[in-house]
Amino acid sequence: MTEQAEWLHTQIETLASQQAQFTDRAFWLALDKLVAEQDRRNDQLQGEVDGRTWRPDRW
Amino acid sequence: MKTLVLVSHPQLADSTSQQFLKASLPKQDVTWEHLESQESFDVAREQDQLRQADRIILQFPLYWYAAPAGLKQWEDDVLTRTFVYGDHRFPLADKELGIVVTTGMPEKAFQRGGAEGLTLDAALSPLAAVAARAHMRWLPTFPIYQFGYLEEPEKLQLVVDYQRYLTQPQPDSLEQRQAWFTHKLPAMIDQLPPEQQATGRLIQAEFEQQKDDIEALADTLAMIKEQEDD
């Protein structure tokens, strides 16, 4: 996880813990999960871009 | 999107799962109706509700591999032949039909060789056949296995998964999930206490930035793939 993602995760977790309503807490925690998914997808896409750009046969 | 939730349960007040789902309902664009609380169905009204909805959800506990009798009664009374297909107008065409089904047995029971020996899709095939006849679009089922055994983190997740099942456009992709949260965030931030709103907005900005980054990367990748094809 990048530093930025770590920071965002902490912000969301703190905000979630401050919500009195169960359904409100659920919303922010689900967003936290989605942000983790975004982070993973970002990594994978970045990896694929790097992999496809690295073409020694075209040097 | 307008969603109609039809709940069939003979003892709704005693059902913790149904009460939980009721408390989890999205605040807007959802109509909720309990079938067994009506002595007889006002067929014209029920059919009108179906016409108005974009997504129709049938929600019930699985009793002997089927919905409770109340739902069958509703089908027999409301889904008349003329209404569904008889006059070739198909008023339910292209509407989505989703099933929220609770089970007393765990997920692994619902497979060949499992304790129940059949999949939920197989058990629900009569409803899928009705959907096909009405030219509706069948959504992947939303099963809730053994609600009573869920721990708090799982229940928290269930709240939002259920809300998304009711209101998020299909298919359930990362793109659609992001769009659903983008749509919900402003109202959720507005209802935060004033001292938390700045944090809420920061989170929103960062979330949107991540979304844009992913989109940009996907575009770059598409371009690279296109060049490789040349």
Side-chain angles (χ1 to χ4, degrees):
Chain A
M1 204 188 276
T2 62
E3 219 170 276
Q4 186 71 2
E6 190 72 52
W7 172 84
L8 185 57
H9 167 64
T10 313
Q11 295 294 316
I12 298 176
E13 223 178 27
T14 310
L15 190 64
S17 69
Q18 291 164 343
Q19 304 312 308
Q21 278 247 5
F22 192 79
T23 47
D24 292 344
R25 203 152 79 239
F27 175 85
W28 293 104
L29 289 175
L31 179 67
D32 191 30
K33 262 192 134 167
L34 184 62
V35 163
E37 189 185 350
Q38 281 183 323
D39 198 41
R40 248 183 350 262
R41 182 70 62 93
N42 198 306
D43 259 10
Q44 288 162 346
L45 287 171
Q46 190 65 60
E48 191 176 350
V49 167
D50 289 350
R52 283 180 186 270
T53 320
W54 179 253
R55 297 282 296 270
D57 58 317
R58 295 216 177 156
W59 283 4
Chain B
M1 182 195 306
K2 277 192 186 154
T3 304
L4 173 65
V5 182
L6 300 172
V7 181
S8 175
H9 195 297
Q11 276 109 27
L12 194 73
D14 299 337
S15 164
T16 50
S17 55
Q18 293 301 334
Q19 295 303 327
F20 179 90
L21 294 176
K22 195 176 176 193
S24 303
L25 285 174
K27 292 184 182 81
Q28 282 162 350
D29 299 325
V30 175
T31 306
W32 181 94
E33 184 182 299
H34 177 222
L35 299 182
E36 281 85 348
S37 64
Q38 301 167 67
E39 252 175 59
S40 65
F41 295 114
D42 179 340
V43 174
R45 191 187 140 261
E46 291 293 314
Q47 291 181 346
D48 200 44
Q49 274 198 142
L50 292 171
R51 277 194 204 95
Q52 309 273 328
D54 302 304
R55 180 174 291 176
I56 295 152
I57 304 288
L58 304 177
Q59 182 174 307
F60 51 83
L62 195 69
Y63 288 171
W64 285 119
Y65 315 109
L71 183 67
K72 184 64 167 66
Q73 192 62 56
W74 175 86
E75 287 181 72
D76 293 353
D77 292 353
V78 176
L79 301 181
T80 60
R81 196 181 68 90
T82 316
F83 174 63
V84 175
Y85 67 94
D87 60 3
H88 301 286
R89 268 188 277 167
F90 296 97
L92 304 178
D94 296 324
K95 295 180 187 299
E96 295 169 312
L97 184 69
I99 309 290
V100 175
V101 59
T102 60
T103 74
M105 293 290 275
E107 180 172 8
K108 65 176 186 210
F110 293 94
Q111 55 183 322
R112 226 168 264 151
E116 298 290 13
L118 91 169
T119 63
L120 277 180
D121 273 354
L124 298 172
S125 53
L127 288 171
V130 172
R133 201 59 139 105
H135 294 186
M136 298 174 85
R137 290 211 303 273
W138 180 261
L139 298 183
T141 300
F142 188 90
I144 302 169
Y145 303 102
Q146 297 188 303
F147 176 81
Y149 290 156
L150 295 185
E151 302 280 350
E152 180 158 305
E154 295 163 322
K155 282 187 177 160
L156 284 160
Q157 185 66 40
L158 177 59
V159 170
V160 175
D161 286 346
Y162 176 65
Q163 292 180 347
R164 291 193 302 102
Y165 189 69
L166 263 44
T167 59
Q168 179 190 293
Q170 291 277 327
D172 184 15
S173 58
L174 174 61
E175 207 180 341
Q176 299 285 15
R177 283 193 283 282
Q178 290 180 141
W180 189 85
F181 277 91
T182 293
H183 178 69
K184 290 271 173 193
L185 267 165
M188 289 304 291
I189 293 169
D190 279 351
Q191 67 165 50
L192 288 172
E195 69 275 13
Q196 293 172 10
Q197 292 200 357
T199 309
R201 276 192 293 274
L202 257 176
I203 292 169
Q204 179 186 32
E206 194 59 35
F207 167 73
E208 294 297 338
Q209 182 61 52
Q210 286 222 49
K211 192 173 87 172
D212 292 347
D213 290 351
I214 289 172
E215 213 170 288
L217 274 170
D219 286 349
T220 307
L221 201 54
M223 218 162 65
I224 293 173
K225 283 180 180 171
E226 212 170 284
Q227 282 165 359
E228 282 174 355
D229 283 346
D230 292 343

